[in-house]
């Protein structure tokens, strides 16, 4: 059981707290309601802002995916062009080598013709 002195002090403390409690004035109530509305407005604005950022992030993510796909396409084309250029270079090297061989052959044929003419003229 609780001693009577303690129960009185608790009860007395509660009575003191009740005596200190004052009802809010109309002005105070309006101020509190206004503050609560501002807080709700700020929270809803923050949520809307976060949602807007999320949507914009999704759009940017989509654009990034498109850009990466375009880069892949361009890299494929560049690789194909590089292969074609290498093929053209190889063909040009072969043509250049063929031209050198033709020039050597023409020079040799010219010398051979000169020698044949010399032999024919000198023996006739």
């Amino acid at each position: 059981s609780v001693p009577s002195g303690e129960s009185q002090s608790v009860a007395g403390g509660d009575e003191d707290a009740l005596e200190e409690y004052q009802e809010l004035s109309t002005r105070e109530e309006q101020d509190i309601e206004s503050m609560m509305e501002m807080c709700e407005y700020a929270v809803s604005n923050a949520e809307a802002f976060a949602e807007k950022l999320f949507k914009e992030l999704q759009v940017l993510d989509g654009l990034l995916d498109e850009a990466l796909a375009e880069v892949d396409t361009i890299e494929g084309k560049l690789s194909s062009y590089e292969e074609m250029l290498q093929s053209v270079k190889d063909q040009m090297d072969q043509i250049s080598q063929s031209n050198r061989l033709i020039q050597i052959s023409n020079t040799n044929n010219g010398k051979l013709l000169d020698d044949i003419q010399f032999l024919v003229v000198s023996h006739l």
Side-chain angles (χ1 to χ4, degrees), residues 102-122:
I102 291 170
Q103 288 174 351
I104 291 170
S105 178
N106 284 342
T107 301
N108 288 343
N109 287 339
K111 288 179 181 178
L112 182 59
L113 184 61
D114 288 344
D115 288 345
I116 291 172
Q117 285 177 348
F118 174 74
L119 288 172
V120 167
V121 171
S122 65

Side-chain angles (χ1 to χ4, degrees), residues 63-103:
L63 291 175
L64 184 59
D65 288 343
E66 289 177 19
L68 289 173
E70 186 67 23
V71 165
D72 287 343
T73 301
I74 291 171
E75 283 180 347
K77 287 181 181 179
L78 287 176
S79 178
S80 173
Y81 294 156
E82 184 179 3
E83 289 174 10
M84 289 191 298
L85 286 174
Q86 185 61 44
S87 173
V88 168
K89 181 185 178 297
D90 292 343
Q91 291 174 8
M92 294 298 291
D93 289 345
Q94 289 177 355
I95 291 170
S96 177
Q97 184 178 4
S98 295
N99 283 342
R100 282 193 296 271
L101 292 174
I102 291 170
Q103 288 174 351

Side-chain angles (χ1 to χ4, degrees), residues 2-61:
V2 177
S4 60
E6 286 183 21
S7 63
Q8 286 178 353
S9 66
V10 171
D14 287 344
E15 289 174 10
D16 290 342
L18 287 174
E19 288 176 9
E20 291 177 8
Y21 174 78
Q22 296 177 358
E23 285 192 31
L24 294 175
S25 68
T26 304
R27 174 72 180 163
E28 290 171 331
E29 284 181 25
Q30 288 173 350
D31 288 345
I32 289 175
E33 286 177 8
S34 175
M35 284 175 44
M36 289 176 68
E37 286 174 7
M38 286 179 13
C39 288
E40 288 176 13
Y41 179 73
V43 168
S44 65
N45 272 353
E47 289 172 351
F49 182 66
E51 187 176 335
K52 180 181 177 185
L53 286 179
F54 181 72
K55 287 179 182 176
E56 288 179 2
L57 181 61
Q58 286 179 324
V59 169
L60 291 175
D61 192 39

